[in-house]
């Protein structure tokens, strides 16, 4: 089916399917082939909530638009799978997913025979977003549609999305889709790179949960956030230089920020791991810290664009945090915000091989 889609030069694919096995290399690599050919893939994030770490593949891939589910009151559907991604565990920290949310509970749809029926599931939300993507694409004049690719459409959706104030980043991603705002992004779009999330405000609760639940202090382990670089210029690119952090106030200058990142951004995306610590000299400081991260993405000239010259895009990411004095050692406890989350493994077969209906154990101990 994927080969047919590529050969037929389709533009948009919806997958209301998925599973926890991101280690299925042939399937994952086929999805990479599809998106690297410019097809925009939208996929349901899964119905395995409310536990965290229950994202389904391929919706958990950075080159795919992963869709979570909400009800008519903008509350997360109880069944909607939560992040973070589990690809990186246990050696690292997962990425933020889903990308966007759409209505997934008691949605009216047509029956195969006649009339209508009520449907629920992220498999319902995903085609809603696929339809929205097609509508957004139709708003661009024919001569500008070369701009459309999996990254530029994801940028339009996430930058136009409405953040839901009661949900954290691993529940809602970037928020509920908002077509007028996304259309405005596309109307003025120029190929560029961006970061998800676009700003890192560690004290912003509940969105930055669980990081927002505790301020930073000197001598503590670093806070780690695995962000996604989205490259709308071409399906491949790289960081021209290592990212740079600059403190903008007294507190910001007391932060020590380091990075790990993808050597090659392909297809259309990569990762940027941000490590934030407080300088030992700030063990008595109390206040807010403000700074910014800057990096430049370079890519070949995009197909369809005149000139075909190499392109570059500078990305500036605001960063802020709350710093408190280092507590006395006798008042500290060993506490890992990630260890206490109800967070099942991504793909663990059950010990009981007699179970045929549900061969994966979603409820075992997490690698953390």
């Amino acid at each position: 089916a994927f080969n047919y889609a590529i050969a037929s030069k389709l533009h948009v694919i919806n997958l209301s399917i998925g599973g926890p096995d991101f280690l299925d290399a042939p399937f994952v690599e086929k999805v990479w082939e599809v998106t690297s050919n410019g097809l925009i893939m939208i996929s349901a994030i899964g119905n395995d909530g409310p536990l965290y770490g229950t994202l389904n593949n391929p919706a958990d891939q950075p080159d795919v638009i992963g869709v979570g589910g909400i009800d008519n009151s903008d509350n997360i559907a109880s069944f909607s799978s939560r992040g973070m991604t589990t690809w990186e565990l246990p050696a690292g920290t997962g990425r933020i997913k889903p990308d966007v949310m759409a209505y997934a509970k008691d949605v009216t749809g047509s029956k195969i025979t006649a009339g209508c029926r009520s449907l629920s599931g992220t498999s319902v939300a995903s085609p809603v977003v696929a339809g929205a993507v097609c509508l957004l694409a139709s708003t661009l004049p024919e001569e500008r549609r070369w701009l459309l690719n999996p990254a530029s459409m994801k940028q339009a959706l996430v930058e136009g999305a409405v953040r839901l104030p009661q949900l954290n980043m691993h529940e809602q991603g970037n928020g509920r889709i908002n077509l007028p705002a996304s259309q405005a992004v596309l109307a003025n779009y120029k190929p560029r790179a961006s970061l998800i999330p676009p700003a890192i405000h560690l004290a912003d609760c509940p969105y930055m949960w669980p990081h927002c639940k505790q301020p930073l202090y000197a001598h503590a382990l670093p806070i780690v956030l695995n962000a996604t670089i989205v490259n709308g210029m071409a399906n491949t690119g790289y960081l021209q230089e290592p990212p740079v952090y600059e403190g903008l106030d007294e507190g910001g200058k007391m932060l020590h920020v380091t990075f790990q990142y993808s050597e090659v951004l392909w297809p259309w995306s990569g990762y940027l791991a941000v490590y934030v610590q407080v300088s030992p000299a700030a063990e008595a400081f109390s206040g807010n810290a403000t700074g910014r991260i800057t990096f430049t993405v370079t890519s070949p000239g995009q197909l369809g664009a005149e000139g075909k010259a190499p392109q570059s895009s500078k990305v500036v990411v605001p960063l802020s945090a709350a710093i408190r004095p280092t507590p006395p050692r006798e008042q500290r406890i060993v506490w890992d915000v990630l260890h206490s989350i109800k967070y099942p493994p991504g793909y663990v077969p059950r010990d009981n091989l007699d179970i045929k209906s549900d061969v994966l154990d979603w409820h075992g101990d997490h690698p953390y």
Side-chain angles (χ1 to χ4, degrees), residues 55 73 97 104 128 146 151 208-209 216 226 256 319 349 366:
L55 302 175
S73 299
K97 277 278 186 172
V128 169
W146 63 268
M208 289 300 296
W209 181 88
L216 306 183
N226 194 351
H256 178 61
L319 186 150
H366 188 264

Side-chain angles (χ1 to χ4, degrees), residues 351-365:
D351 295 330
N352 187 352
L353 299 180
D354 293 330
I355 297 177
K356 300 292 195 298
S357 60
D358 186 12
V359 298
L360 301 181
D361 183 3
W362 283 100
H363 306 288
D365 292 333

Side-chain angles (χ1 to χ4, degrees), residues 317-367:
V317 183
L319 186 150
S320 66
I323 301 177
R324 296 294 179 264
T326 302
R329 184 170 295 276
E330 62 271 15
Q331 294 181 11
R332 302 183 214 172
I333 59 172
V334 177
W335 180 68
D336 180 355
V337 294
L338 298 169
H339 185 78
S340 301
I341 298 174
K342 290 183 177 179
Y343 201 117
Y347 182 70
V348 178
R350 291 186 184 276
D351 295 330
N352 187 352
L353 299 180
D354 293 330
I355 297 177
K356 300 292 195 298
S357 60
D358 186 12
V359 298
L360 301 181
D361 183 3
W362 283 100
H363 306 288
D365 292 333
H366 188 264

Side-chain angles (χ1 to χ4, degrees), residues 300-314:
Q302 178 152 0
L303 294 176
E306 295 183 8
K308 308 289 196 307
Q311 306 171 93
S312 64
S313 175
K314 182 180 179 180

Side-chain angles (χ1 to χ4, degrees), residues 211-261:
H211 303 302
C212 65
K213 285 297 186 179
Q214 178 172 301
L216 306 183
Y217 59 86
H219 308 298
L221 291 173
I223 291 290
V224 185
L225 183 75
N226 194 351
T228 300
I229 302 172
V230 183
N231 180 20
M233 297 182 290
N235 72 357
T236 187
Y238 60 92
L239 267 63
Q240 190 170 297
E241 301 286 346
V244 174
Y245 169 75
E246 177 188 4
L248 299 179
D249 57 14
E250 182 185 6
K253 291 180 173 63
M254 294 178 178
L255 293 180
H256 178 61
V257 182
T258 56
F259 310 94
Q260 288 183 319
Y261 54 91

Side-chain angles (χ1 to χ4, degrees), residues 115-182:
C116 298
R117 62 172 177 165
S118 180
L119 301 166
S120 295
T122 57
S123 291
V124 181
S126 182
V128 169
V129 174
V133 165
C134 294
L135 285 173
L136 289 170
S138 71
T139 66
L140 277 183
E142 193 77 33
E143 63 273 12
R144 296 193 72 232
R145 289 186 185 171
W146 63 268
L147 291 167
L148 296 174
N149 58 55
S152 62
M153 185 56 75
K154 177 176 284 193
Q155 288 170 327
L157 287 173
V158 303
E159 292 170 18
V162 177
R163 184 185 292 184
L164 304 175
Q166 72 277 22
L167 301 179
N168 67 59
M169 59 186 175
H170 298 308
E171 294 173 321
Q172 66 171 310
N174 298 277
R176 170 172 49 81
I177 60 169
N178 181 349
L179 264 65
S182 294

